[in-house]
Every structure is written in structure tokens, then in C-alpha cells.
Amino acid sequence: MRVAILGAGALGCFYGAKLEQDGHDVTFIARSAYDTIRRDGLKVQSVDGDIHVKDAKVCRTPEECGPVDLVVLCWKTFLNGNLAAALPPLLGPGTEVLSLQNGMGNAEAVSAFVAPEKVFVGLCFVCCMMDTPGVITHLEGGDIQFAPFAGGDAPAARAEELAAMFRSAGIRSTAFRELERIQWCKLTWNIPFNGLCLAHGGISVQQLFAMHGQVERARGIMEEVYAAAELRGFAPPKDIVDTQMERTAKMGPFVPSSAVDYQRGRQVEYDAIWGIPLQRALDAGASVPLWEQLCREIRERLGMA
């Protein structure tokens, strides 16, 4: 399959390298890492085994790449305003788009340019960073939960085929029929831990766990997110809070993506990760005071009104 990675940061490069290693024709559409990848290839230093894509295909623009079978959308959600320019050069008659982005609202943005039955979402449970251009450090995880944007048997079956494609590349992947269900699963982690590490100025998970009362606070926020998902009719597995807490305690120096963006003076994905989900929770009648307080702290940290 011909695949374009649109947004070749840490996450896109990690999964793109795995797909390339499995025999797919992968093109990385990169900005900051373009020169390094073109010269040295793409390197993944992984707990599961290192990868070096020596002759990685890399482009600066979608026009250089041209139409593909699958666009894997990995850039930050606040860049979705660029989809009108970026997607058309990559689209052929049967092109599908898979968003691996955080939060909510991304599939809706893509469906303005691609038929809904061609739009899919993958929620990634992975710790990876790109501190050096073209070099990805993979610390933990990699699992993906897939779901179609459109309802019906055919999109659900295709989501399973995409999951199988990623499983073949060594990624533990599962397909679900309901998009919002997998979104809440990922948000149970992203809202408290991405949020708290950001609210405290861009710290690591390890630093957060060393702070008095913050582990308990994270659990409380996570329980509120779970309760909101349950009110919406999309409750995650009952053991997800314990599972997420245990998994996070082992992440060590990992700095979540929004905390990294804040550290580097970049825009943060507030709406997709915190704003839209919070509004859906409140619309469902959820009581989420800890979550609301975290959002106030994040907005203050970011200088938002």
C-alpha cells in the first residue's frame, strides 16, 4: 500500500517506520526534520528493537508526494485548518484518511474533504519523542484502537482491516465500531496526565508522580472523565483507571506532547483534548469540578481568556 504520513513528528515517524519495515511504500511529509531524514534516513530507538529506514522517502509538501492509498494524519489538531490545502494533492479515487490525532473533532474536520466512509480514527497509546530531528525515541506502548467515522458494517469491516495492517507491522491494534468510545478511552489518560504536566509548566510524568498530592489528583480527574463517558453512553472498560495509573507510573522521564509543545513555545491542542470533551461532558450533565479546575489552570498557563 502507498502511504503518506502527513505530519512527520515523533508519532508519525514511529508508525511510518513500522509500516515501511513491513513492506509498505511510505512517504514522510516533513518540515523541520526534512533535511535530516533526507540525508541520514529515519532512526527509531525503540524498546521493541531499533529501526533505521536508510532511504526514507521524504517530501516537504503534499504536492511533491502526490496521490496515495492511505493518508495517515499525524499533525497537531490546531493545524486542521490547513486540510483544505494539504489533502487534495494526496487524494485519488479511493484514498482513505486515518487520523492518529488526539482528542475530538478531527474526523469531522477531515470529512469536509473526504467521504465519511473513507475516514477512520486511530487512538494511539504510545510514549515516543523526537528530541533530535529524524531520531525517534520510543519508550513504551504503541497500541492503537481503530474506529470508523461513518456507521455501518462496511466501514466497521474496513477499520478491522486497517487494524490488521498495523498488527502485521508489529503494532497491537484493535478495531471498534463506535468512534466516541475509543476517544474517551484515550482521554482518560490525556486529560489528566497531559493536562497536569502542562499545567505545572511542562514537566515529565516522573516529576508529576514525585509531587505531593498530584497522583491522587490525576486519579480523581480520570474518574470524572470515566463518569462523563459513562453518561454519554460510551463507558471505557471498568478497570481502565487502575490500568492507566499503573501504566503511567512506569513511564519515567516521558514528557507528554502538550507539555513538550508548551516547553518549546508552540501552540497547544487545548480544544481537541480538553475543550470539546469538557463541553460534551457538561452537555451530558456530568459533574466534573476537578476537570474544570484543571482546564482553568491550563488556560491560565497558556494565557487564554
Side-chain angles (χ1 to χ4, degrees):
M1 178 177 284
R2 189 160 186 231
V3 179
I5 304 296
L6 185 56
L11 184 139
C13 286
F14 172 69
Y15 288 112
K18 299 286 278 187
L19 292 172
E20 174 74 25
Q21 189 181 47
D22 198 43
H24 295 279
D25 181 1
V26 180
T27 299
F28 300 87
I29 302 173
R31 293 180 300 171
S32 59
Y34 172 85
D35 291 329
T36 304
I37 295 174
R38 185 177 178 87
R39 183 184 66 245
D40 302 327
L42 179 64
K43 299 176 182 178
V44 179
Q45 300 168 344
S46 171
V47 293
D48 298 328
D50 294 348
I51 302 171
H52 186 191
V53 184
K54 295 181 180 179
D55 298 313
K57 292 184 179 180
V58 60
C59 297
R60 290 189 189 275
T61 67
E63 288 79 7
E64 291 179 56
C65 178
V68 295
D69 302 310
L70 178 67
V71 178
V72 183
L73 180 59
C74 301
W75 67 26
K76 296 300 177 73
T77 59
F78 51 73
L79 293 173
N80 282 346
N82 297 329
L83 288 171
L87 275 183
L90 301 171
L91 301 180
T95 303
E96 297 169 316
V97 178
L98 170 64
S99 167
L100 298 186
Q101 298 169 293
N102 278 323
M104 293 177 167
N106 306 306
E108 290 84 349
V110 173
S111 69
F113 310 99
V114 181
E117 63 271 17
K118 297 290 186 181
V119 180
F120 300 85
V121 170
L123 275 299
C124 307
F125 298 82
V126 63
C127 297
C128 58
M129 301 179 289
M130 185 164 64
D131 292 329
T132 302
V135 181
I136 289 77
T137 302
H138 170 226
L139 300 174
E140 189 264 349
D143 302 18
I144 304 179
Q145 294 179 341
F146 289 88
F149 177 56
D153 291 340
R158 182 57 182 150
E160 174 53 47
E161 290 173 354
L162 289 171
M165 170 182 163
F166 277 74
R167 284 196 295 269
S168 176
I171 301 295
R172 290 193 299 180
S173 303
T174 309
F176 296 81
R177 294 182 71 96
E178 300 167 306
L179 173 56
E180 192 168 336
R181 188 174 303 281
I182 68 168
Q183 289 173 326
W184 285 113
C185 283
K186 178 70 180 290
L187 287 166
T188 60
W189 191 90
N190 247 339
I191 288 171
F193 283 107
N194 212 350
L196 287 169
C197 288
L198 167 61
H200 285 293
I203 64 173
S204 70
V205 168
Q206 188 175 57
Q207 290 171 303
L208 185 72
F209 267 70
M211 295 176 69
H212 177 72
Q214 293 306 297
V215 174
E216 294 77 13
R217 186 182 180 197
R219 176 180 282 275
I221 296 168
M222 192 179 296
E223 289 171 347
E224 290 185 351
V225 176
Y226 181 94
E230 194 170 35
L231 279 173
R232 294 277 303 176
F234 298 103
K238 292 184 182 298
D239 65 347
I240 194 167
V241 173
D242 288 337
T243 300
Q244 297 278 47
M245 295 300 296
E246 292 169 7
R247 170 177 171 256
T248 309
K250 302 173 185 177
M251 289 182 182
F254 175 65
V255 181
S257 59
S258 295
V260 171
D261 289 337
Y262 175 76
Q263 285 179 347
R264 297 180 181 178
R266 300 190 298 226
Q267 190 172 347
V268 170
E269 301 175 283
Y270 177 82
D271 288 336
I273 299 176
W274 295 281
I276 295 173
L278 177 60
Q279 190 58 57
R280 291 191 186 184
L282 295 174
D283 289 346
S287 175
V288 290
L290 296 176
W291 181 0
E292 289 183 289
Q293 175 60 32
L294 173 61
C295 287
R296 286 191 291 270
E297 292 177 21
I298 292 171
R299 291 195 300 270
E300 182 177 353
R301 171 67 65 179
L302 298 178
M304 300 172 63

